[in-house]
Amino acid sequence: MMKLLTLLIAGAALPLTSAAPASTAIVKDASSADTDASVAATLARSSKDIYPAKCPENVNGFNYTYPSTLWFYNLTSTVPGSSEVLEMAFMDLLPPNYNPRNAGNKEPQTILLLHGKNFCGPTWYAAATPLQKAGYRVILPEQLGFCKSTKPTQYSFNLTSLATNTRNLVKALGITKPPIVIGHSLGGMLASRYALTYPEFTKSLMLVSPIGLEDWKQLGVPDRSFDLLTGDEKSTTYASLRGYEQATYYPGAEWTEDFDKWVVMLTKVYEGDQKEKFWADQAHVVEMVLGQPTIHDYNKIKPKTLLVVGEKDNTAIGKVWSPPEVQAKLGHYAVLGRQAQAVIPDATLVSFPYLGHAPQIQEPEMFNRLLASWVKTGGRTLESLKLNATIIR
């Protein structure tokens, strides 16, 4: 029988306030934990397919400084018939004093943090560093076509291939323990596909505001040509990104520098020196998302799952070009979260009435408490966190 717990604390969310103008880069974390991890990471690379990124500040059309060492995984040989070099960028945060090449070291629990469509690895960093310091190995991969990774011109984008690329990266790093897989937005959609494809190599699953909770085409979103989709990406600007994110990711919240810095970051990819390839890749990603909804397979997910949604979220790919009667049916996360939780065999839902599409950015302290509880206890202590949320098991 479903157990419903509504936990409320006085004051709910504190109001958000304005901050200084956005910076264009993240200050590098100079903590001893990060320093030790960087040294250990350097010692760990024995595969010719894994190497530090050259000119990491400006690579693959993205001029942006990352907060930790940037690595490449060359997955060209794993993609049959590829005529391009395919490099998957990632950050690898090792726990303090852990060296993967020392046989005497016990392998730590690995956590994968998968980014969304309008996000990159650094948007997870505030969540990743506390996990690293708590003794976890945290990997922040960036999928092909995104951020610092290769912008391919002939790649066939589908969720299973992206999941396979991620699995192959973990294998190339010599990780033998099944990771905890956490994904946000499109990364949540990908995380569920990863768990479906590799259930034996997924310890547990956390889906944060995932897309794919409804079948948009089935609900009436009309087809859109590749040329029009590419044109949509080409017309993307700082102003359009900020307007979209304010209405969808943070509805009702005052805009802050913590929100703005990620719009500034994303704009740099859209305006980078590989922008034409990026626009085309993102158009293919939209085609992939519309054509491969994961909700139909949720009943097959085997790992223990935590589903986190903000009830003010209204994300729906294709909504903007749909007729009004279709738009009215899409993106109701207060309902979608409950429907998904009911379908996944072993799932817990945490539903926040005051949050939008990016809870880890809008309420980072709260989110990190939730995240720490999940990775440590598998959800056994969620009720003690006193969240302003509805919890359904």
Side-chain angles (χ1 to χ4, degrees), residues 232-276:
D232 295 339
E233 300 295 334
K234 181 178 180 179
S235 65
T236 299
T237 64
Y238 166 85
S240 67
L241 284 170
R242 172 172 169 166
Y244 172 75
E245 293 194 10
Q246 188 155 26
T248 304
Y249 297 177
Y250 319 107
E254 185 175 353
W255 190 255
T256 74
E257 188 274 338
D258 286 334
F259 304 163
D260 197 70
K261 65 184 178 182
W262 303 127
V263 179
V264 172
M265 176 198 70
L266 187 60
T267 303
K268 290 178 176 291
V269 195
Y270 274 97
E271 297 176 351
D273 57 19
Q274 294 187 21
K275 56 189 177 185
E276 290 86 359

mmCIF file of all heavy atoms in Angstrom, residues 232-276:
data_model
loop_
_atom_site.group_PDB
_atom_site.id
_atom_site.type_symbol
_atom_site.label_atom_id
_atom_site.label_comp_id
_atom_site.label_asym_id
_atom_site.label_seq_id
_atom_site.Cartn_x
_atom_site.Cartn_y
_atom_site.Cartn_z
ATOM 1 N N ASP A 232 15.670 26.908 -34.893
ATOM 2 C CA ASP A 232 15.352 27.226 -33.498
ATOM 3 C C ASP A 232 16.630 27.368 -32.681
ATOM 4 O O ASP A 232 16.774 28.296 -31.868
ATOM 5 C CB ASP A 232 14.483 26.129 -32.875
ATOM 6 C CG ASP A 232 13.112 26.011 -33.516
ATOM 7 O OD1 ASP A 232 12.666 26.983 -34.150
ATOM 8 O OD2 ASP A 232 12.499 24.928 -33.389
ATOM 9 N N GLU A 233 17.552 26.426 -32.882
ATOM 10 C CA GLU A 233 18.807 26.469 -32.136
ATOM 11 C C GLU A 233 19.648 27.678 -32.560
ATOM 12 O O GLU A 233 20.266 28.352 -31.722
ATOM 13 C CB GLU A 233 19.590 25.168 -32.354
ATOM 14 C CG GLU A 233 18.879 23.911 -31.906
ATOM 15 C CD GLU A 233 18.645 23.855 -30.406
ATOM 16 O OE1 GLU A 233 19.416 24.496 -29.648
ATOM 17 O OE2 GLU A 233 17.689 23.178 -29.974
ATOM 18 N N LYS A 234 19.669 27.958 -33.834
ATOM 19 C CA LYS A 234 20.456 29.087 -34.347
ATOM 20 C C LYS A 234 19.978 30.417 -33.775
ATOM 21 O O LYS A 234 20.783 31.336 -33.537
ATOM 22 C CB LYS A 234 20.376 29.108 -35.879
ATOM 23 C CG LYS A 234 21.185 30.219 -36.531
ATOM 24 C CD LYS A 234 21.082 30.136 -38.050
ATOM 25 C CE LYS A 234 21.899 31.249 -38.705
ATOM 26 N NZ LYS A 234 21.834 31.162 -40.198
ATOM 27 N N SER A 235 18.691 30.529 -33.535
ATOM 28 C CA SER A 235 18.126 31.794 -33.052
ATOM 29 C C SER A 235 18.243 31.959 -31.537
ATOM 30 O O SER A 235 17.817 32.976 -30.983
ATOM 31 C CB SER A 235 16.652 31.896 -33.461
ATOM 32 O OG SER A 235 15.879 30.892 -32.819
ATOM 33 N N THR A 236 18.830 30.973 -30.858
ATOM 34 C CA THR A 236 18.959 31.029 -29.411
ATOM 35 C C THR A 236 19.966 32.100 -28.995
ATOM 36 O O THR A 236 21.076 32.171 -29.526
ATOM 37 C CB THR A 236 19.392 29.665 -28.857
ATOM 38 O OG1 THR A 236 18.399 28.686 -29.173
ATOM 39 C CG2 THR A 236 19.577 29.717 -27.353
ATOM 40 N N THR A 237 19.589 32.927 -28.043
ATOM 41 C CA THR A 237 20.438 33.999 -27.529
ATOM 42 C C THR A 237 20.400 33.991 -26.005
ATOM 43 O O THR A 237 19.604 33.271 -25.394
ATOM 44 C CB THR A 237 19.951 35.373 -28.023
ATOM 45 O OG1 THR A 237 18.630 35.602 -27.483
ATOM 46 C CG2 THR A 237 19.898 35.436 -29.542
ATOM 47 N N TYR A 238 21.241 34.819 -25.400
ATOM 48 C CA TYR A 238 21.189 34.974 -23.949
ATOM 49 C C TYR A 238 19.773 35.354 -23.508
ATOM 50 O O TYR A 238 19.237 34.790 -22.550
ATOM 51 C CB TYR A 238 22.189 36.031 -23.484
ATOM 52 C CG TYR A 238 21.954 36.477 -22.056
ATOM 53 C CD1 TYR A 238 22.483 35.756 -20.993
ATOM 54 C CD2 TYR A 238 21.168 37.595 -21.771
ATOM 55 C CE1 TYR A 238 22.237 36.136 -19.679
ATOM 56 C CE2 TYR A 238 20.915 37.981 -20.464
ATOM 57 C CZ TYR A 238 21.456 37.249 -19.421
ATOM 58 O OH TYR A 238 21.209 37.625 -18.129
ATOM 59 N N ALA A 239 19.177 36.319 -24.210
ATOM 60 C CA ALA A 239 17.849 36.804 -23.821
ATOM 61 C C ALA A 239 16.798 35.702 -23.926
ATOM 62 O O ALA A 239 15.946 35.554 -23.038
ATOM 63 C CB ALA A 239 17.454 37.998 -24.677
ATOM 64 N N SER A 240 16.853 34.911 -24.993
ATOM 65 C CA SER A 240 15.842 33.861 -25.153
ATOM 66 C C SER A 240 16.047 32.740 -24.135
ATOM 67 O O SER A 240 15.076 32.188 -23.609
ATOM 68 C CB SER A 240 15.865 33.306 -26.582
ATOM 69 O OG SER A 240 17.066 32.604 -26.852
ATOM 70 N N LEU A 241 17.301 32.420 -23.846
ATOM 71 C CA LEU A 241 17.574 31.395 -22.847
ATOM 72 C C LEU A 241 17.121 31.845 -21.464
ATOM 73 O O LEU A 241 16.480 31.092 -20.731
ATOM 74 C CB LEU A 241 19.077 31.079 -22.813
ATOM 75 C CG LEU A 241 19.620 30.214 -23.947
ATOM 76 C CD1 LEU A 241 21.147 30.198 -23.918
ATOM 77 C CD2 LEU A 241 19.071 28.791 -23.851
ATOM 78 N N ARG A 242 17.431 33.102 -21.131
ATOM 79 C CA ARG A 242 17.031 33.585 -19.812
ATOM 80 C C ARG A 242 15.502 33.618 -19.692
ATOM 81 O O ARG A 242 14.942 33.213 -18.669
ATOM 82 C CB ARG A 242 17.608 34.972 -19.550
ATOM 83 C CG ARG A 242 17.056 35.579 -18.268
ATOM 84 C CD ARG A 242 17.734 36.855 -17.850
ATOM 85 N NE ARG A 242 16.969 37.495 -16.777
ATOM 86 C CZ ARG A 242 17.417 38.468 -16.019
ATOM 87 N NH1 ARG A 242 18.640 38.937 -16.194
ATOM 88 N NH2 ARG A 242 16.655 39.000 -15.080
ATOM 89 N N GLY A 243 14.830 34.084 -20.722
ATOM 90 C CA GLY A 243 13.371 34.137 -20.680
ATOM 91 C C GLY A 243 12.765 32.759 -20.520
ATOM 92 O O GLY A 243 11.822 32.567 -19.732
ATOM 93 N N TYR A 244 13.298 31.789 -21.252
ATOM 94 C CA TYR A 244 12.788 30.422 -21.158
ATOM 95 C C TYR A 244 13.043 29.837 -19.779
ATOM 96 O O TYR A 244 12.146 29.246 -19.159
ATOM 97 C CB TYR A 244 13.448 29.548 -22.229
ATOM 98 C CG TYR A 244 13.120 28.085 -22.083
ATOM 99 C CD1 TYR A 244 11.867 27.588 -22.438
ATOM 100 C CD2 TYR A 244 14.056 27.190 -21.565
ATOM 101 C CE1 TYR A 244 11.554 26.247 -22.279
ATOM 102 C CE2 TYR A 244 13.754 25.848 -21.403
ATOM 103 C CZ TYR A 244 12.501 25.379 -21.765
ATOM 104 O OH TYR A 244 12.197 24.051 -21.608
ATOM 105 N N GLU A 245 14.257 30.000 -19.260
ATOM 106 C CA GLU A 245 14.594 29.401 -17.968
ATOM 107 C C GLU A 245 13.822 30.058 -16.828
ATOM 108 O O GLU A 245 13.404 29.382 -15.883
ATOM 109 C CB GLU A 245 16.102 29.473 -17.735
ATOM 110 C CG GLU A 245 16.881 28.591 -18.699
ATOM 111 C CD GLU A 245 18.323 28.374 -18.293
ATOM 112 O OE1 GLU A 245 18.693 28.757 -17.154
ATOM 113 O OE2 GLU A 245 19.092 27.822 -19.105
ATOM 114 N N GLN A 246 13.623 31.378 -16.926
ATOM 115 C CA GLN A 246 12.888 32.044 -15.852
ATOM 116 C C GLN A 246 11.439 31.549 -15.803
ATOM 117 O O GLN A 246 10.874 31.369 -14.724
ATOM 118 C CB GLN A 246 12.925 33.562 -16.039
ATOM 119 C CG GLN A 246 12.347 34.340 -14.872
ATOM 120 C CD GLN A 246 12.900 35.746 -14.766
ATOM 121 O OE1 GLN A 246 13.321 36.333 -15.757
ATOM 122 N NE2 GLN A 246 12.909 36.294 -13.559
ATOM 123 N N ALA A 247 10.864 31.294 -16.960
ATOM 124 C CA ALA A 247 9.466 30.856 -17.014
ATOM 125 C C ALA A 247 9.301 29.369 -16.708
ATOM 126 O O ALA A 247 8.243 28.947 -16.229
ATOM 127 C CB ALA A 247 8.893 31.153 -18.401
ATOM 128 N N THR A 248 10.346 28.579 -16.939
ATOM 129 C CA THR A 248 10.221 27.124 -16.847
ATOM 130 C C THR A 248 11.001 26.536 -15.678
ATOM 131 O O THR A 248 10.496 25.685 -14.949
ATOM 132 C CB THR A 248 10.706 26.468 -18.158
ATOM 133 O OG1 THR A 248 9.968 27.026 -19.249
ATOM 134 C CG2 THR A 248 10.502 24.966 -18.135
ATOM 135 N N TYR A 249 12.247 26.980 -15.516
ATOM 136 C CA TYR A 249 13.094 26.405 -14.477
ATOM 137 C C TYR A 249 12.829 27.023 -13.103
ATOM 138 O O TYR A 249 12.922 26.346 -12.085
ATOM 139 C CB TYR A 249 14.567 26.594 -14.825
ATOM 140 C CG TYR A 249 15.026 25.891 -16.074
ATOM 141 C CD1 TYR A 249 16.326 26.041 -16.536
ATOM 142 C CD2 TYR A 249 14.180 25.068 -16.814
ATOM 143 C CE1 TYR A 249 16.768 25.403 -17.679
ATOM 144 C CE2 TYR A 249 14.605 24.426 -17.957
ATOM 145 C CZ TYR A 249 15.901 24.595 -18.385
ATOM 146 O OH TYR A 249 16.340 23.970 -19.519
ATOM 147 N N TYR A 250 12.537 28.340 -13.098
ATOM 148 C CA TYR A 250 12.397 29.063 -11.830
ATOM 149 C C TYR A 250 11.134 29.927 -11.808
ATOM 150 O O TYR A 250 11.187 31.108 -11.461
ATOM 151 C CB TYR A 250 13.626 29.948 -11.591
ATOM 152 C CG TYR A 250 14.942 29.303 -11.949
ATOM 153 C CD1 TYR A 250 15.662 29.698 -13.089
ATOM 154 C CD2 TYR A 250 15.481 28.287 -11.159
ATOM 155 C CE1 TYR A 250 16.870 29.101 -13.420
ATOM 156 C CE2 TYR A 250 16.682 27.680 -11.483
ATOM 157 C CZ TYR A 250 17.374 28.090 -12.625
ATOM 158 O OH TYR A 250 18.565 27.492 -12.949
ATOM 159 N N PRO A 251 9.982 29.392 -12.173
ATOM 160 C CA PRO A 251 8.773 30.218 -12.235
ATOM 161 C C PRO A 251 8.414 30.799 -10.866
ATOM 162 O O PRO A 251 8.406 30.096 -9.860
ATOM 163 C CB PRO A 251 7.696 29.242 -12.729
ATOM 164 C CG PRO A 251 8.226 27.883 -12.423
ATOM 165 C CD PRO A 251 9.712 27.983 -12.526
ATOM 166 N N GLY A 252 8.174 32.099 -10.859
ATOM 167 C CA GLY A 252 7.798 32.774 -9.632
ATOM 168 C C GLY A 252 8.959 33.182 -8.748
ATOM 169 O O GLY A 252 8.756 33.880 -7.743
ATOM 170 N N ALA A 253 10.178 32.779 -9.088
ATOM 171 C CA ALA A 253 11.350 33.118 -8.283
ATOM 172 C C ALA A 253 12.051 34.346 -8.854
ATOM 173 O O ALA A 253 12.069 34.562 -10.062
ATOM 174 C CB ALA A 253 12.328 31.941 -8.244
ATOM 175 N N GLU A 254 12.618 35.138 -7.971
ATOM 176 C CA GLU A 254 13.386 36.294 -8.421
ATOM 177 C C GLU A 254 14.691 35.818 -9.045
ATOM 178 O O GLU A 254 15.361 34.929 -8.524
ATOM 179 C CB GLU A 254 13.676 37.220 -7.230
ATOM 180 C CG GLU A 254 14.365 38.524 -7.631
ATOM 181 C CD GLU A 254 14.530 39.469 -6.455
ATOM 182 O OE1 GLU A 254 13.994 39.153 -5.372
ATOM 183 O OE2 GLU A 254 15.183 40.513 -6.620
ATOM 184 N N TRP A 255 15.039 36.410 -10.176
ATOM 185 C CA TRP A 255 16.244 36.008 -10.912
ATOM 186 C C TRP A 255 17.492 36.365 -10.117
ATOM 187 O O TRP A 255 17.601 37.459 -9.563
ATOM 188 C CB TRP A 255 16.267 36.695 -12.267
ATOM 189 C CG TRP A 255 17.323 36.173 -13.204
ATOM 190 C CD1 TRP A 255 18.496 36.765 -13.540
ATOM 191 C CD2 TRP A 255 17.269 34.941 -13.939
ATOM 192 N NE1 TRP A 255 19.202 35.986 -14.429
ATOM 193 C CE2 TRP A 255 18.466 34.861 -14.691
ATOM 194 C CE3 TRP A 255 16.345 33.902 -14.019
ATOM 195 C CZ2 TRP A 255 18.755 33.784 -15.526
ATOM 196 C CZ3 TRP A 255 16.622 32.836 -14.848
ATOM 197 C CH2 TRP A 255 17.816 32.782 -15.596
ATOM 198 N N THR A 256 18.453 35.450 -10.043
ATOM 199 C CA THR A 256 19.676 35.683 -9.277
ATOM 200 C C THR A 256 20.903 35.366 -10.119
ATOM 201 O O THR A 256 20.821 34.738 -11.185
ATOM 202 C CB THR A 256 19.721 34.806 -8.005
ATOM 203 O OG1 THR A 256 20.009 33.454 -8.392
ATOM 204 C CG2 THR A 256 18.400 34.854 -7.247
ATOM 205 N N GLU A 257 22.060 35.756 -9.596
ATOM 206 C CA GLU A 257 23.324 35.454 -10.269
ATOM 207 C C GLU A 257 23.556 33.953 -10.355
ATOM 208 O O GLU A 257 24.164 33.455 -11.304
ATOM 209 C CB GLU A 257 24.475 36.131 -9.520
ATOM 210 C CG GLU A 257 25.827 36.054 -10.239
ATOM 211 C CD GLU A 257 26.594 34.780 -9.940
ATOM 212 O OE1 GLU A 257 26.315 34.144 -8.897
ATOM 213 O OE2 GLU A 257 27.451 34.387 -10.758
ATOM 214 N N ASP A 258 23.077 33.211 -9.352
ATOM 215 C CA ASP A 258 23.240 31.766 -9.376
ATOM 216 C C ASP A 258 22.496 31.124 -10.541
ATOM 217 O O ASP A 258 22.879 30.056 -11.015
ATOM 218 C CB ASP A 258 22.755 31.155 -8.062
ATOM 219 C CG ASP A 258 23.721 31.414 -6.915
ATOM 220 O OD1 ASP A 258 24.924 31.596 -7.186
ATOM 221 O OD2 ASP A 258 23.270 31.450 -5.755
ATOM 222 N N PHE A 259 21.400 31.747 -10.973
ATOM 223 C CA PHE A 259 20.701 31.287 -12.175
ATOM 224 C C PHE A 259 21.406 31.806 -13.426
ATOM 225 O O PHE A 259 21.578 31.096 -14.412
ATOM 226 C CB PHE A 259 19.256 31.783 -12.191
ATOM 227 C CG PHE A 259 18.429 31.427 -10.989
ATOM 228 C CD1 PHE A 259 17.252 32.106 -10.726
ATOM 229 C CD2 PHE A 259 18.809 30.415 -10.112
ATOM 230 C CE1 PHE A 259 16.471 31.791 -9.620
ATOM 231 C CE2 PHE A 259 18.044 30.086 -9.003
ATOM 232 C CZ PHE A 259 16.863 30.792 -8.756
ATOM 233 N N ASP A 260 21.795 33.065 -13.369
ATOM 234 C CA ASP A 260 22.298 33.755 -14.551
ATOM 235 C C ASP A 260 23.620 33.180 -15.056
ATOM 236 O O ASP A 260 23.847 33.117 -16.268
ATOM 237 C CB ASP A 260 22.480 35.243 -14.231
ATOM 238 C CG ASP A 260 22.590 36.097 -15.488
ATOM 239 O OD1 ASP A 260 21.558 36.238 -16.178
ATOM 240 O OD2 ASP A 260 23.688 36.600 -15.783
ATOM 241 N N LYS A 261 24.494 32.751 -14.145
ATOM 242 C CA LYS A 261 25.823 32.302 -14.577
ATOM 243 C C LYS A 261 25.739 31.095 -15.510
ATOM 244 O O LYS A 261 26.599 30.918 -16.386
ATOM 245 C CB LYS A 261 26.705 31.992 -13.380
ATOM 246 C CG LYS A 261 26.256 30.839 -12.509
ATOM 247 C CD LYS A 261 27.164 30.702 -11.285
ATOM 248 C CE LYS A 261 26.723 29.580 -10.367
ATOM 249 N NZ LYS A 261 27.586 29.492 -9.156
ATOM 250 N N TRP A 262 24.684 30.278 -15.345
ATOM 251 C CA TRP A 262 24.565 29.112 -16.220
ATOM 252 C C TRP A 262 24.002 29.500 -17.589
ATOM 253 O O TRP A 262 24.287 28.830 -18.585
ATOM 254 C CB TRP A 262 23.707 28.049 -15.558
ATOM 255 C CG TRP A 262 24.251 27.629 -14.217
ATOM 256 C CD1 TRP A 262 23.587 27.606 -13.027
ATOM 257 C CD2 TRP A 262 25.582 27.178 -13.923
ATOM 258 N NE1 TRP A 262 24.415 27.176 -12.018
ATOM 259 C CE2 TRP A 262 25.647 26.910 -12.542
ATOM 260 C CE3 TRP A 262 26.735 26.997 -14.701
ATOM 261 C CZ2 TRP A 262 26.812 26.454 -11.920
ATOM 262 C CZ3 TRP A 262 27.896 26.548 -14.069
ATOM 263 C CH2 TRP A 262 27.932 26.284 -12.703
ATOM 264 N N VAL A 263 23.218 30.565 -17.657
ATOM 265 C CA VAL A 263 22.771 31.080 -18.947
ATOM 266 C C VAL A 263 23.963 31.682 -19.693
ATOM 267 O O VAL A 263 24.136 31.463 -20.906
ATOM 268 C CB VAL A 263 21.655 32.129 -18.769
ATOM 269 C CG1 VAL A 263 21.214 32.675 -20.128
ATOM 270 C CG2 VAL A 263 20.458 31.516 -18.037
ATOM 271 N N VAL A 264 24.799 32.424 -18.982
ATOM 272 C CA VAL A 264 26.019 32.979 -19.583
ATOM 273 C C VAL A 264 26.890 31.848 -20.111
ATOM 274 O O VAL A 264 27.407 31.916 -21.238
ATOM 275 C CB VAL A 264 26.788 33.828 -18.550
ATOM 276 C CG1 VAL A 264 28.144 34.249 -19.101
ATOM 277 C CG2 VAL A 264 25.981 35.057 -18.150
ATOM 278 N N MET A 265 27.062 30.799 -19.320
ATOM 279 C CA MET A 265 27.855 29.653 -19.744
ATOM 280 C C MET A 265 27.300 29.035 -21.021
ATOM 281 O O MET A 265 28.024 28.802 -21.994
ATOM 282 C CB MET A 265 27.876 28.603 -18.631
ATOM 283 C CG MET A 265 28.608 27.320 -18.995
ATOM 284 S SD MET A 265 28.202 25.920 -17.914
ATOM 285 C CE MET A 265 26.508 25.597 -18.437
ATOM 286 N N LEU A 266 25.990 28.767 -21.046
ATOM 287 C CA LEU A 266 25.379 28.096 -22.190
ATOM 288 C C LEU A 266 25.454 28.959 -23.445
ATOM 289 O O LEU A 266 25.656 28.440 -24.565
ATOM 290 C CB LEU A 266 23.924 27.747 -21.871
ATOM 291 C CG LEU A 266 23.181 26.898 -22.891
ATOM 292 C CD1 LEU A 266 23.863 25.554 -23.090
ATOM 293 C CD2 LEU A 266 21.733 26.694 -22.450
ATOM 294 N N THR A 267 25.314 30.263 -23.277
ATOM 295 C CA THR A 267 25.398 31.167 -24.423
ATOM 296 C C THR A 267 26.735 31.023 -25.128
ATOM 297 O O THR A 267 26.826 31.149 -26.360
ATOM 298 C CB THR A 267 25.185 32.624 -23.966
ATOM 299 O OG1 THR A 267 23.932 32.731 -23.299
ATOM 300 C CG2 THR A 267 25.193 33.577 -25.152
ATOM 301 N N LYS A 268 27.793 30.746 -24.381
ATOM 302 C CA LYS A 268 29.122 30.607 -24.976
ATOM 303 C C LYS A 268 29.211 29.412 -25.918
ATOM 304 O O LYS A 268 30.016 29.415 -26.850
ATOM 305 C CB LYS A 268 30.179 30.503 -23.871
ATOM 306 C CG LYS A 268 30.406 31.804 -23.104
ATOM 307 C CD LYS A 268 31.421 31.605 -21.992
ATOM 308 C CE LYS A 268 31.710 32.930 -21.294
ATOM 309 N NZ LYS A 268 32.453 33.866 -22.160
ATOM 310 N N VAL A 269 28.423 28.378 -25.677
ATOM 311 C CA VAL A 269 28.413 27.244 -26.613
ATOM 312 C C VAL A 269 27.651 27.632 -27.876
ATOM 313 O O VAL A 269 28.086 27.342 -29.000
ATOM 314 C CB VAL A 269 27.763 25.995 -25.986
ATOM 315 C CG1 VAL A 269 28.104 24.762 -26.812
ATOM 316 C CG2 VAL A 269 28.199 25.796 -24.553
ATOM 317 N N TYR A 270 26.515 28.288 -27.696
ATOM 318 C CA TYR A 270 25.706 28.693 -28.850
ATOM 319 C C TYR A 270 26.435 29.691 -29.733
ATOM 320 O O TYR A 270 26.154 29.776 -30.938
ATOM 321 C CB TYR A 270 24.379 29.285 -28.380
ATOM 322 C CG TYR A 270 23.318 28.249 -28.132
ATOM 323 C CD1 TYR A 270 23.062 27.766 -26.851
ATOM 324 C CD2 TYR A 270 22.575 27.722 -29.180
ATOM 325 C CE1 TYR A 270 22.085 26.802 -26.623
ATOM 326 C CE2 TYR A 270 21.604 26.768 -28.975
ATOM 327 C CZ TYR A 270 21.370 26.308 -27.691
ATOM 328 O OH TYR A 270 20.397 25.345 -27.484
ATOM 329 N N GLU A 271 27.358 30.453 -29.180
ATOM 330 C CA GLU A 271 28.083 31.459 -29.941
ATOM 331 C C GLU A 271 29.528 31.057 -30.219
ATOM 332 O O GLU A 271 30.300 31.842 -30.747
ATOM 333 C CB GLU A 271 28.060 32.793 -29.171
ATOM 334 C CG GLU A 271 26.657 33.352 -28.982
ATOM 335 C CD GLU A 271 26.627 34.622 -28.138
ATOM 336 O OE1 GLU A 271 27.695 34.972 -27.560
ATOM 337 O OE2 GLU A 271 25.553 35.246 -28.043
ATOM 338 N N GLY A 272 29.906 29.821 -29.890
ATOM 339 C CA GLY A 272 31.281 29.374 -30.036
ATOM 340 C C GLY A 272 31.702 29.151 -31.477
ATOM 341 O O GLY A 272 30.894 29.259 -32.411
ATOM 342 N N ASP A 273 32.973 28.785 -31.662
ATOM 343 C CA ASP A 273 33.500 28.661 -33.024
ATOM 344 C C ASP A 273 33.091 27.351 -33.703
ATOM 345 O O ASP A 273 33.489 27.105 -34.838
ATOM 346 C CB ASP A 273 35.026 28.842 -33.038
ATOM 347 C CG ASP A 273 35.768 27.861 -32.145
ATOM 348 O OD1 ASP A 273 35.181 26.814 -31.790
ATOM 349 O OD2 ASP A 273 36.931 28.129 -31.799
ATOM 350 N N GLN A 274 32.311 26.518 -33.035
ATOM 351 C CA GLN A 274 31.707 25.344 -33.678
ATOM 352 C C GLN A 274 30.182 25.405 -33.576
ATOM 353 O O GLN A 274 29.494 24.385 -33.506
ATOM 354 C CB GLN A 274 32.235 24.051 -33.032
ATOM 355 C CG GLN A 274 33.717 23.823 -33.264
ATOM 356 C CD GLN A 274 34.180 22.458 -32.767
ATOM 357 O OE1 GLN A 274 33.389 21.530 -32.605
ATOM 358 N NE2 GLN A 274 35.470 22.323 -32.544
ATOM 359 N N LYS A 275 29.668 26.621 -33.592
ATOM 360 C CA LYS A 275 28.235 26.808 -33.340
ATOM 361 C C LYS A 275 27.353 26.124 -34.373
ATOM 362 O O LYS A 275 26.291 25.586 -34.014
ATOM 363 C CB LYS A 275 27.909 28.299 -33.274
ATOM 364 C CG LYS A 275 28.311 29.102 -34.498
ATOM 365 C CD LYS A 275 28.156 30.594 -34.236
ATOM 366 C CE LYS A 275 28.622 31.414 -35.437
ATOM 367 N NZ LYS A 275 28.577 32.865 -35.146
ATOM 368 N N GLU A 276 27.761 26.110 -35.652
ATOM 369 C CA GLU A 276 26.903 25.471 -36.653
ATOM 370 C C GLU A 276 26.739 23.979 -36.374
ATOM 371 O O GLU A 276 25.636 23.425 -36.489
ATOM 372 C CB GLU A 276 27.475 25.680 -38.065
ATOM 373 C CG GLU A 276 27.390 27.110 -38.573
ATOM 374 C CD GLU A 276 28.580 27.958 -38.140
ATOM 375 O OE1 GLU A 276 29.463 27.412 -37.406
ATOM 376 O OE2 GLU A 276 28.643 29.138 -38.515
#
